[in-house]
Amino acid sequence: TMSVNVIGAGLAGSEAAWQIAKRGVPVNLYEMRPVKNTPAHHTNQFAELVCTNSLRANGLSNAVGLLKEEMRRTDSLIMRAADAHAVPAGGALAVDRGPFSQAVTDALTNLPNVTIHREELTAFPEGITVVATGPLTSPGLAQAIKDLNGDDGLYFYDAAAPILDEASIDMTKVYRKSRYDKGTADYLNCPMTEEEFHDFYEALIHAEVAESHDFEKEKFFDGCMPIEVMAKRGERTMLFGPLKPVGLEDPRTGKRPYAVVQLRQDNAVGSLYNIVGFQTHLKWGEQKRVFSMIPGLEHVAIVRYGVMHRNTFMNAPLVLAPTYESLKQSHLFFAGQMTGVEGYVESAASGMVSGINAARTAQGLEPIIFPEDTEVGAMAHYITHADPKHFQPMNANYGIMPKLDHKVRDKKTRNLELADRALAALADFQHVTTEQPA
Ligand code: FAD
């Protein structure tokens, strides 16, 4: 049988290798640790969790909980190990990180058709390959990816503004308008009085910033300075930057507000908005507290918090298919954080799809696209259909799934209905995910 190469035995690569091997396809798994390390890993185990030991919410009212359940039902190795080594964490799934990673390492080591190579690759090997080298991809391989994808195809720094669920924005307080009414009125505008602006400014400059890892102490590029750093330059600085009110007169009063926060549509269906210019290094709880002071965002649901850290990720809408196969080179698949999904579970989920498709290619079957009604499918759809001009990595969330065909006011009820629909769609799709060649 034809074999498949997997580069990187992190969350995504380990899951991909598992999905390939259990379909009877031989795997060559390349992991550079411990021969060469990354700035964040500390062990030589596979699927090491570089930060928190939490895999976030486990319940179906949260999209990352649904994602986990879909993975369990697709026989995910990462979920098997996580469930086996869970530690008490309320509604979240947290794991005992050492035994968790050891279980993943052992499972792959014990598979007779997985050959493990402890070495760094700096070029794509011949044959069907899954690249899953993560946010800290070694520079040599990053160059190879850049050469493949072209100049706009790979980023090295993630400075992302928070992304909001449209349904949680108070539409009675905001208005739709573009600056000077140029083009279509694509922005939602949150007007502030002088007093509201002052209170917001005070809260922002005193808010708690996330602790940064040594390797993250990089200088800020123009145009992606954290909003709190800009604010600290002086009370009026933001009024000449992202909060500039000129050309944004409120059509309801005809007057120009003292300051305006703009929200930009983030996905084609308009269920998500980002806060323009609000890349930030604030702690997540602080983002929620301080940004809820913006008129219209009092009850906002943040589906993806703002972050600033080193992150190698590609401009997936330009270079990737929803099968996770490269648009630039056939038989080359990508998986994990580098595809523009964000988070441990999301990375593993993309590895699952990428692995299934690499195995299918080796078996002479067509690659598959998961139904968009599943969270696995919605993620693949999002990263390959988002606006490439503003592409930023995305967490699992219900805002990226197709809407229900009826209105449900209560958010939890709505999410549970979306979860039901997703699991039904996955059940209908199971004969495809488990298909074996004739
Ligand atoms: P990884 O798990 O990093 O796996 C990539 C693997 O490839 C590594 O084992 C690496 O050694 C190997 N490798 C790299 N280059 C090569 C090469 N050239 N040849 C061979 N092997 C190579 N997500 C969360 O959900 N929660 C968090 O708390 C969290 N914290 C994070 C903190 C930091 C500092 C970073 C950078 C990311 C964090 N993330 C977090 C984001 C993301 O979920 C993790 O980075 C996750 O590990 C990504 O999975 P992955 O499989 O894409 O990459």
Side-chain angles (χ1 to χ4, degrees):
T1 333
M2 215 186 274
S3 64
V4 173
N5 308 300
V6 176
I7 319 180
L11 274 304
S14 298
E15 182 65 42
W18 169 257
Q19 294 290 342
I20 298 162
K22 79 183 191 101
R23 283 173 171 73
V25 175
V27 178
N28 281 299
L29 178 57
Y30 295 87
E31 169 52 58
M32 69 176 186
R33 291 175 292 122
V35 181
K36 184 169 176 172
N37 223 324
T38 81
H41 290 82
H42 298 290
T43 75
N44 60 12
Q45 291 173 324
F46 297 167
E48 177 179 334
L49 303 174
V50 290
C51 190
T52 173
N53 68 329
S54 172
L55 273 57
R56 319 209 309 281
N58 211 13
L60 292 181
S61 61
N62 189 303
V64 78
L66 170 62
L67 187 62
K68 292 185 186 74
E69 189 54 31
E70 292 176 5
M71 293 172 71
R72 290 187 185 100
R73 296 185 186 194
T74 316
D75 189 25
S76 154
L77 172 62
I78 294 297
M79 286 315 303
R80 237 193 237 195
D83 287 332
H85 298 285
V87 296
L93 176 60
V95 304
D96 190 350
R97 64 175 77 233
F100 162 77
S101 294
Q102 193 61 54
V104 175
T105 310
D106 290 345
L108 291 172
T109 308
N110 292 339
L111 284 176
N113 58 349
V114 176
T115 310
I116 292 161
H117 309 261
R118 293 280 185 170
E119 66 178 273
E120 178 197 8
L121 291 192
T122 54
F124 308 125
E126 288 285 308
I128 305 164
T129 300
V130 176
V131 183
T133 43
L136 305 170
T137 295
S138 74
L141 194 70
Q143 188 59 48
I145 300 169
K146 206 168 165 24
D147 293 344
L148 174 80
N149 286 343
D151 271 349
D152 295 330
L154 196 68
Y155 302 121
F156 294 97
Y157 201 76
D158 192 358
I163 296 176
L164 319 174
D165 185 345
E166 183 256 1
S168 69
I169 301 168
D170 185 346
M171 293 296 171
T172 64
K173 300 210 173 144
V174 306
Y175 56 96
R176 196 171 275 285
K177 188 183 173 79
S178 67
R179 203 178 295 277
Y180 304 117
D181 290 319
K182 274 195 192 138
T184 48
D186 290 335
Y187 292 84
L188 293 177
N189 298 279
C190 311
M192 280 181 175
T193 63
E194 182 169 357
E195 194 187 349
E196 284 165 342
F197 174 80
H198 179 77
D199 292 346
F200 172 72
Y201 161 78
E202 284 292 328
L204 184 58
I205 60 170
H206 293 115
E208 224 185 314
V209 171
E211 104 187 49
S212 89
H213 298 261
D214 269 347
F215 67 90
E216 287 172 8
K217 286 190 185 129
E218 298 180 30
K219 70 175 171 51
F220 299 119
F221 303 111
D222 264 8
C224 66
M225 183 188 291
I227 188 73
E228 66 277 8
V229 173
M230 181 185 290
K232 282 177 190 162
R233 294 191 161 181
E235 177 156 359
R236 295 180 55 77
T237 308
M238 288 189 293
L239 295 174
F240 297 96
L243 272 69
K244 187 164 65 178
V246 294
L248 290 175
E249 288 68 24
D250 188 335
R252 297 165 300 190
T253 61
K255 293 208 178 96
R256 178 190 295 177
Y258 185 77
V260 178
V261 174
Q262 290 201 293
L263 310 179
R264 180 197 291 126
Q265 190 172 326
D266 199 79
N267 62 347
V269 294
S271 59
L272 302 174
Y273 278 80
N274 64 63
I275 318 183
V276 178
F278 271 50
Q279 52 277 358
T280 176
H281 214 247
L282 295 189
K283 286 193 163 168
W284 288 12
E286 292 287 84
Q287 292 187 31
K288 175 86 178 147
R289 181 179 68 83
V290 177
F291 300 157
S292 294
M293 295 172 74
I294 298 169
L297 304 188
E298 291 83 356
H299 304 290
V300 77
I302 301 180
V303 302
R304 201 272 196 188
Y305 283 88
V307 292
M308 308 220 42
H309 61 71
R310 192 170 136 191
N311 192 10
T312 311
F313 68 98
M314 54 186 73
N315 198 342
L318 294 180
V319 298
L320 212 60
T323 55
Y324 288 93
E325 186 166 4
S326 168
L327 294 175
K328 305 277 180 181
Q329 187 177 320
S330 60
H331 294 190
L332 185 62
F333 295 82
F334 289 94
Q337 186 93 2
M338 60 169 13
T339 65
V341 300
E342 168 81 29
Y344 296 153
V345 183
E346 290 85 343
S347 293
S350 72
M352 182 176 88
V353 180
S354 206
I356 291 173
N357 282 332
R360 290 177 64 91
T361 304
Q363 293 172 317
L365 298 169
E366 283 295 311
I368 56 175
I369 297 172
F370 274 67
E372 236 188 284
D373 280 354
T374 64
E375 189 62 26
V376 171
M379 298 244 29
H381 183 85
Y382 178 83
I383 62 164
T384 53
H385 293 79
D387 179 357
K389 285 205 284 299
H390 307 286
F391 184 62
Q392 289 291 348
M394 179 56 93
N395 281 125
N397 71 85
Y398 278 116
I400 59 174
M401 300 185 96
K403 288 202 162 83
L404 292 169
D405 57 10
H406 56 281
K407 193 103 187 142
V408 181
R409 283 194 66 82
D410 178 58
K411 190 176 152 193
K412 189 170 175 187
T413 312
R414 182 196 68 175
N415 290 352
L416 290 173
E417 281 195 37
L418 287 166
D420 276 349
R421 187 183 70 179
L423 294 175
L426 185 66
D428 285 345
F429 195 62
Q430 214 106 54
H431 68 282
V432 182
T433 58
T434 56
E435 185 185 2
Q436 283 290 352

